[in-house]
Amino acid sequence: MISLVSFVGLFAEAFNRPPIDWHALAPEITLLVVGALVTLLDVVLLEKGRAITPAIAGLGLLAVLVPIVTLAVDGVASNPRMAFGGSEVYVVDGYSLVLKALFIIIAYLVVLMSTNYIAEGDYWESEYYGMLLSSVLGMLVMASARDLITVFVALELLSIPAYLLATWRKRDLKSNEAGLKYYLNGVFASALMLYGMSLLFGVSGSTILVEINAAIGEAAASTAIISLGIVLVIVGFAFKVSAVPFHLWAPDTYEGSPTPITAFLAVGAKAAGFVALMNLIFVGFWSRSDVYSPALWILAALTMTIGNLTALRQNNLIRLMAYSGVAQAGFMLAALTVAGESAEIAQTSASAVVTYLIIYAAMNLGAFAIILAVTRRTASAEVAAFDGLFQWAPALAVLMTVFLVSLAGIPPLGGWYAKFSVFTALLEANVWWAYVLAGLAAINTVIAFGYYGRLASRMWFEKAPDSLDTTSLRVPFALQAAIAITAVATIAFGVYPAAVTHFSDIDVPAAAAALVP
Amino acid sequence: MEAFIDDWGLTLVTFIPLVGALVMMAIPRVNESMHKAVALGTTLVAAVLGVLLLANFDYGAAGDLQFVVDKSWIDVINSRYIVGLDGMSLPLLLLTLGVVPLCIIYSFAHFPEPHNPKTFLTLILVLETGMLGSFIAQDLILFFVFFEVVLLPMFFLIGVWGGDDRRYASLKFFLYTLFGSALMLISFLALFFLADGTVAESAAATVNTFDMRALSTGATSVIGRSAQLWIFGGMFIGFGVKVPMFPFHTWLPDAHTQAPTVGSVILAAVLLKLGTYGFVRIAIPFLPEAAAAWAPIIGLLAVIGIIYGALGCLAQQDMKRLIAFSSVAHMGFVMLGISTLTDFGINAAVFGMVAHGLITGMLFFVAGSMKDRYHTLDMNRLGGLLLQGPKMGWILAFAAMASLGLPGLAGFWGEFPAILAAYNPAEILSAGLWRGYMVVAALGTVLAAGYLLWMVQKTAFGTPTEEFENDPHIHDVTAFEWIAWTPFLILIVVFGFYPNLIFDLTDPAVIKSLKVEGLNGTAADCLEMAKSAGEACFADLRSALGSGN
């Protein structure tokens, strides 16, 4: 009996709630409320609510920016908050705040892009936005997650709604294929990752990343098991960020999903994958650059090169964007390869990836918004559908050129600074393999222009097909807004990169003590 | 007024065309005369500002940067908005400011298909901003951005308004240059991380700097020899593609042949100069030691370019293609001058840039106008221009004479001193080798006379072929053409008779750029020592700075 009492006592003790920093959690809670509101309103208002659902979702997302701003004003950048009783499980610092804001803005743009697409396609609106918001919630959690379990929960929270959203056009076989492929690949990746995490837990005896870093950095630690663990976790996330050779799901999923969701996956989900990778590398694995640097180097080299070469041969615009996204991911991975060289280079490397994510979000969402606008008329996402766009929609053609050129990394549009910051990180490392990777990246920039330039030239140099209605095109207001926001951002980031470095030049998301050697 | 020009002159002159382009975007497409007025107006305003800059330029200090502005831009990487003008960039800046409005005037009467003046002129204005910015930028990243801004408008000018093969030509042009500039950017970044800005004579505030003033006055002396060689190699490809040097030249004939007339003129007159300007402004002053090591290769490729370009010319049937290959040959002379690493050779090179810009630009104008009249440039079908349009025929002959280096015209002062400089290259280089180059280059001038006279003979002499004998479209020079061409013709003669107009400007700047700075502003003339002593001199400089990474 006594033992039972003590057992119960132990149990009760384990349930002691740690003190919670509600302010630090305010963005997540606000988002949760908005998501619940969207779902509940559907129950109450039924059909009448359909028209206002996107507005509520959009405004709700903007409302989440309020606690983010108050946290920023509160100075979390210099003084990070631990949300749960001061443990390094869930950290709100400058880095996570910038990424949370980025996720919210991405989601807001996706809502703008979805408004007419979903309404006109007669899809399930309130569920759509509810799913979208819960996926975004997973991303917010991911930005702060500094613990293997939290990382995993965040990942599933953002992935499972995304699997459903990919199949949203449920009477279309391609959409079903998209969702199924995404789901199967996703769970496979999760399984690999979990196995890797269990190995790391076995070696370090902790799920908290900072502690893992300390444990696996010790000389006595078993290199073989640690290597396997780290590589498996990285491979798991390589699926998420669609790095070669784990990218094969991406083109099919992107092609079949509703286009706004494609944009969401290509930008939001990919960014979340990178955020997870950064949390793991800078906080959890940092001391073992001997393991992750070579793994990332190979991934980066393959991802850039194969992504670009395959993109050259695509005739479907969405698939082309999928492969272009693969190649862009390769650049970000390249910046991560040098993360372990020194504390300063870790700083440059983290800033480079965040810079890249911000600029990539602007230009890629912009390109998708234009694809959405144009396919309203052409009803085809073949590259040929863009022939002669300049004749009948000159403004869209010019803006699409802006986005494509930015994706290609040509100054003075945003993309150049993204690529430039990756080169900066690689060259600052001053080691031969980083120079080689930089050379490879340079060659890839040229290859990439092959397809971006070809697409741009089709819009400008070709004649529109005769069958096409070439009267001027009316673009819905929400879509116009999305295009305008992304275009302004793309140009501003390129001409005045300080606009983005102001946010992206953040402290590395590590416990500072763990970083300084 | 003077203070205003000092602070704002360069920024205004560079960005006014861009403002014009933005204004034009807001004007509806149908309002063509408005577009023409805005485009010409902005370029003329820019040109007037250029004249004001010229008037305020301190000729006594042509070697120093003037009108310098230094403002913060991208703090994270310590890249700043630094612009300035010295005797080396002033002629090129003025060349650009002059050529662009003339091209716009010319285009009024010759809008190529598919017409659309709004977009055409907007692109030219953006192009002008990029070109001007490249010549005034004194920060490597700023330079890089302007250097790249040039690419896109040219890509679209060729691709939309070009000939039948325009898509291929435009993409080829873009990919070649992009490849070069990607490597160039890596070199710039390597400089940033390896150089030490604080030891420079015009010391930068920080160790890592993109400030071209610091990098050209000793900040790079701390970089180890092998690293210097690699960095120079990256820049060599970047600028070499743009020049273009053999074997990176193959984009040029395609781009020139397919481009609309105005595009060809701007390409020849200004764009190619960005490459050679990069060598004299960046590659050589930054890394004199590596330049000395690379010079034999540069010289070799230059003379191959001269001969190859000339032989290429002789094999052409298309007049525009012939002029394009002649560009390869002429830029070979410029590069030969540069490869000598002497002030004499580089002065000749800068002069050659301006002269080639004027002369080849003129030749492309005539070729374009002939294409408008004959609808072909196949030299087998042309002939008798002197009978059908005597004035245009004489202009063609005049430009050809200038191009082959006839004394008294501008072309002579680009070519002849370059050859002369090769007789006596910098001490650190092998004089025997350059004398060999000199002989080959001299042979090239003979070939140049051959192909240019052959071209004139085929097109201007003789009687018109049956096909065009009674063609009413073939008429003499029109008013628009006169307006656009006269300044070119006058300047070719003026610079031919009084080359010191340019040499006086460039000389101090060139001498300064070749000076190898040591610690605390001491100058060591490492380039003017025998090979082993020169290399030891560079090594001493490095060890004096106490580093050798």
Side-chain angles (χ1 to χ4, degrees):
Chain A
M1 286 305 274
I2 294 165
S3 68
L4 186 63
V5 168
S6 68
F7 183 73
V8 169
L10 193 73
F11 216 67
E13 196 179 66
F15 265 81
N16 263 353
R17 183 175 67 94
I20 294 175
D21 183 348
W22 294 103
H23 189 188
L25 288 175
E28 285 84 346
I29 294 170
T30 317
L31 186 58
L32 189 64
V33 170
V34 175
L37 192 69
V38 167
T39 316
L40 284 177
L41 273 183
D42 183 51
V43 179
V44 181
L45 296 174
L46 298 172
E47 282 297 298
K48 281 180 289 180
R50 292 187 50 164
I52 56 165
T53 323
I56 294 173
L59 291 175
L61 281 165
L62 293 183
V64 181
L65 288 177
V66 173
I68 292 180
V69 171
T70 59
L71 280 167
V73 172
D74 197 40
V76 283
S78 49
N79 190 14
R81 285 163 173 263
M82 315 292 163
F84 299 105
S87 80
E88 294 263 6
V89 172
Y90 199 90
V91 181
V92 179
D93 51 9
Y95 157 85
S96 67
L97 216 53
V98 165
L99 290 165
K100 281 177 192 183
L102 175 67
F103 287 131
I104 293 295
I105 291 166
I106 290 173
Y108 179 68
L109 289 167
V110 171
V111 168
L112 286 180
M113 288 160 69
S114 308
T115 307
N116 290 74
Y117 185 93
I118 299 294
E120 287 161 19
D122 203 21
Y123 303 118
W124 295 262
E125 278 190 280
S126 69
E127 291 87 343
Y128 176 91
Y129 292 106
M131 288 292 165
L132 190 65
L133 294 180
S134 39
S135 186
V136 177
L137 181 60
M139 295 174 182
L140 293 199
V141 175
M142 185 65 93
S144 285
R146 301 285 190 278
D147 168 273
L148 288 182
I149 308 274
T150 319
V151 166
F152 186 71
V153 169
L155 182 70
E156 296 304 304
L157 181 56
L158 77 89
S159 297
I160 292 171
Y163 301 145
L164 291 169
L165 287 169
T167 60
W168 215 248
R169 299 186 300 135
K170 74 173 184 186
R171 291 182 224 295
D172 183 344
L173 264 182
K174 284 217 159 180
S175 190
N176 283 291
E177 180 193 346
L180 197 61
K181 274 203 173 141
Y182 189 30
Y183 169 71
L184 289 176
N185 275 286
V187 287
F188 181 59
S190 296
L192 287 180
M193 200 185 308
L194 270 185
Y195 185 47
M197 287 178 176
S198 69
L199 291 176
L200 292 171
F201 175 71
V203 174
S204 62
S206 169
T207 60
I208 298 175
L209 294 180
V210 178
E211 291 170 13
I212 292 177
N213 184 46
I216 64 178
E218 282 165 19
S222 155
T223 304
I225 293 179
I226 291 169
S227 305
L228 189 62
I230 291 180
V231 168
L232 282 176
V233 173
I234 289 180
V235 165
F237 282 104
F239 272 101
K240 288 292 159 190
V241 302
S242 60
V244 176
F246 310 107
H247 67 294
L248 293 166
W249 58 274
D252 292 332
T253 300
Y254 285 12
E255 191 185 356
S257 305
T259 313
I261 290 307
T262 308
F264 182 66
L265 296 180
V267 177
K270 185 168 287 187
F274 270 103
V275 171
L277 266 181
M278 284 164 76
N279 291 351
L280 290 166
I281 286 171
F282 289 109
V283 190
F285 306 158
W286 197 74
S287 52
R288 294 314 296 261
S289 63
D290 57 326
V291 179
Y292 64 77
S293 273
L296 289 172
W297 196 97
I298 295 169
L299 276 181
L302 284 177
T303 306
M304 283 191 273
T305 316
I306 301 202
N308 272 327
L309 290 176
T310 326
L312 279 177
R313 297 175 45 216
Q314 301 305 315
N315 287 319
N316 181 296
L317 202 51
I318 304 282
R319 293 183 80 87
L320 188 145
M321 291 305 289
Y323 283 107
S324 119
V326 169
Q328 305 271 356
F331 276 89
M332 292 186 250
L333 286 170
L336 286 178
T337 55
V338 292
E341 289 301 303
S342 77
E344 292 84 48
I345 293 166
Q347 183 70 57
T348 319
S349 156
S351 297
V353 179
V354 176
T355 305
Y356 209 113
L357 283 174
I358 295 174
I359 296 175
Y360 174 72
M363 59 194 182
N364 218 33
L365 284 175
F368 272 110
I370 301 233
I371 293 173
L372 266 171
V374 172
T375 48
R376 285 169 68 83
R377 168 67 56 79
T378 60
S380 150
E382 293 302 304
V383 171
F386 273 67
D387 282 2
L389 182 68
F390 185 67
Q391 286 174 337
W392 57 277
L396 287 182
V398 169
L399 289 172
M400 186 66 173
T401 311
V402 165
F403 294 127
L404 289 174
V405 170
S406 179
L407 283 164
I410 316 286
L413 300 164
W416 85 268
Y417 190 74
K419 294 218 159 64
F420 176 82
S421 51
V422 171
F423 282 122
T424 313
L426 285 173
L427 267 68
E428 188 178 355
N430 197 14
V431 282
W432 67 270
W433 47 265
Y435 282 112
V436 174
L437 198 57
L440 196 62
I443 293 170
N444 267 295
T445 327
V446 183
I447 303 176
F449 191 80
Y451 54 89
Y452 295 126
R454 192 181 54 145
L455 185 57
S457 64
R458 293 192 83 122
M459 299 188 304
W460 287 70
F461 308 169
E462 298 292 316
K463 292 218 178 326
D466 294 333
S467 54
L468 192 72
D469 170 16
T470 53
T471 50
S472 67
L473 176 72
R474 201 192 70 83
V475 179
F477 177 73
L479 205 49
Q480 277 184 18
I483 294 172
I485 294 169
T486 48
V488 168
T490 304
I491 295 169
F493 292 160
V495 177
Y496 189 65
V500 62
T501 55
H502 176 71
F503 297 105
S504 63
D505 191 29
I506 29 78
D507 287 333
V508 179
L515 253 189
V516 178
Chain B
M1 186 65 191
E2 217 165 275
F4 179 76
I5 291 280
D6 276 352
D7 289 346
W8 287 96
L10 285 180
T11 306
L12 273 181
V13 84
T14 307
F15 288 102
I16 277 182
L18 191 65
V19 172
L22 292 177
V23 170
M24 285 174 66
M25 281 182 192
I27 304 173
R29 198 198 289 196
V30 285
N31 208 340
E32 286 185 13
S33 47
M34 185 79 144
H35 284 295
K36 291 177 180 172
V38 172
L40 184 61
T42 40
T43 50
L44 285 179
V45 171
V48 169
L49 269 169
V51 173
L52 280 179
L53 286 171
L54 185 68
N56 281 297
F57 193 79
D58 177 1
Y59 295 92
D64 300 326
L65 284 176
Q66 304 184 19
F67 313 113
V68 176
V69 176
D70 184 344
K71 294 264 181 283
S72 95
W73 183 42
I74 317 176
D75 291 337
V76 186
I77 51 165
N78 196 23
S79 170
R80 303 178 59 77
Y81 177 82
I82 309 173
V83 294
L85 196 66
D86 68 3
M88 210 145 64
S89 35
L90 182 66
L92 295 165
L93 185 86
L94 291 175
L95 177 72
T96 314
L97 285 170
V99 165
V100 176
L102 297 177
C103 282
I104 288 179
I105 294 174
Y106 178 85
S107 71
F108 286 174
H110 301 86
F111 271 113
E113 283 305 310
H115 208 59
N116 197 349
K118 173 179 177 177
T119 320
F120 189 83
L121 295 172
T122 310
L123 288 172
I124 288 188
L125 290 183
V126 177
L127 186 65
E128 188 179 13
T129 291
M131 299 187 295
L132 294 172
S134 308
F135 291 132
I136 61 163
Q138 298 297 332
D139 176 280
L140 281 181
I141 297 305
L142 192 66
F143 173 82
F144 173 76
V145 169
F146 280 122
F147 193 81
E148 298 288 287
V149 166
V150 169
L151 291 185
L152 267 189
M154 198 34 111
F155 173 70
F156 286 113
L157 282 178
I158 299 175
V160 178
W161 288 271
D164 297 331
D165 224 0
R166 56 185 191 273
R167 277 188 62 175
Y168 171 74
S170 58
L171 202 58
K172 189 171 178 181
F173 157 74
F174 204 105
L175 292 181
Y176 265 74
T177 350
L178 194 59
F179 175 69
S181 43
L183 292 182
M184 184 178 88
L185 180 64
I186 293 183
S187 290
F188 286 178
L189 275 167
L191 278 179
F192 175 71
F193 287 116
L194 298 180
D196 183 350
T198 54
V199 304
E201 183 192 319
S202 40
T206 48
V207 174
N208 293 345
T209 179
F210 286 115
D211 187 340
M212 285 161 66
R213 297 168 299 181
L215 288 168
S216 59
T217 54
T220 53
S221 321
V222 297
I223 304 176
R225 184 177 163 86
S226 62
Q228 281 204 24
L229 290 178
W230 279 100
I231 296 173
F232 194 94
M235 296 202 269
F236 173 72
I237 294 179
F239 297 132
V241 167
K242 199 81 168 190
V243 171
M245 294 187 74
F246 179 89
F248 312 119
H249 68 283
T250 68
W251 63 268
L252 183 81
D254 287 315
H256 263 318
T257 315
Q258 299 303 324
T261 307
V262 170
S264 295
V265 173
I266 294 182
L267 197 57
V270 186
L271 245 60
L272 304 187
K273 277 59 198 188
L274 291 179
T276 40
Y277 176 76
F279 275 104
V280 298
R281 164 69 68 196
I282 295 175
I284 291 172
F286 285 18
L287 300 168
E289 184 180 2
W294 275 84
I297 298 173
I298 299 178
L300 178 68
L301 293 178
V303 290
I304 293 180
I306 294 172
I307 298 300
Y308 181 90
L311 293 177
C313 285
L314 288 169
Q316 300 308 318
Q317 297 302 323
D318 184 290
M319 191 174 157
K320 233 175 154 183
R321 227 177 146 77
L322 187 150
I323 304 172
F325 270 103
S326 84
S327 271
V328 176
H330 281 115
M331 294 316 272
F333 283 106
V334 173
M335 288 313 297
L336 180 65
I338 291 175
S339 76
T340 63
L341 303 182
T342 55
D343 52 354
F344 192 47
I346 292 180
N347 273 318
V350 179
F351 195 100
M353 291 182 218
V354 178
H356 173 263
L358 294 170
I359 295 167
T360 310
M362 193 58 236
L363 282 171
F364 275 119
F365 267 139
V366 176
S369 286
M370 284 177 71
K371 173 119 188 189
D372 278 345
R373 289 162 170 78
Y374 292 93
H375 301 288
T376 178
L377 285 175
D378 183 347
M379 290 190 291
N380 290 329
R381 291 166 62 195
L382 297 173
L385 180 66
L386 277 171
L387 292 176
Q388 287 179 305
K391 294 189 182 101
M392 195 189 288
W394 282 116
I395 291 175
L396 175 67
F398 172 83
M401 291 300 160
S403 183
L404 66 80
L406 195 72
L409 299 176
F412 176 76
W413 297 107
E415 238 167 75
F416 178 69
I419 297 173
L420 214 56
Y423 183 79
N424 212 354
E427 280 291 313
I428 199 168
L429 306 172
S430 136
L433 185 62
W434 261 264
R435 283 172 198 168
Y437 291 160
M438 185 187 85
V439 174
V440 181
L443 276 176
T445 59
V446 180
L447 287 173
Y451 62 75
L452 285 162
L453 293 175
W454 178 64
M455 178 189 79
V456 174
Q457 184 198 21
K458 281 275 221 183
T459 56
F461 294 175
T463 49
T465 51
E466 249 172 64
E467 193 182 353
F468 300 112
E469 211 170 4
N470 299 311
D471 194 328
H473 293 299
I474 297 166
H475 50 86
D476 215 335
V477 184
T478 63
F480 278 117
E481 286 165 350
W482 274 126
I483 299 173
W485 295 355
T486 314
F488 280 82
L489 301 173
I490 292 174
L491 285 177
I492 290 172
V493 176
V494 169
F495 289 142
F497 272 100
Y498 195 64
N500 273 356
L501 276 179
I502 293 179
F503 282 138
D504 280 346
L505 271 179
T506 56
D507 195 43
V510 169
I511 290 175
K512 190 170 179 223
S513 78
L514 284 173
K515 206 169 67 145
V516 179
E517 268 83 5
L519 209 52
N520 306 326
T522 51
D525 225 350
C526 303
L527 287 173
E528 289 302 336
M529 296 180 184
K531 189 171 166 56
S532 52
E535 281 172 12
C537 165
F538 281 116
D540 288 347
L541 209 61
R542 189 157 37 242
S543 57
L545 293 169
S547 163
N549 47 349

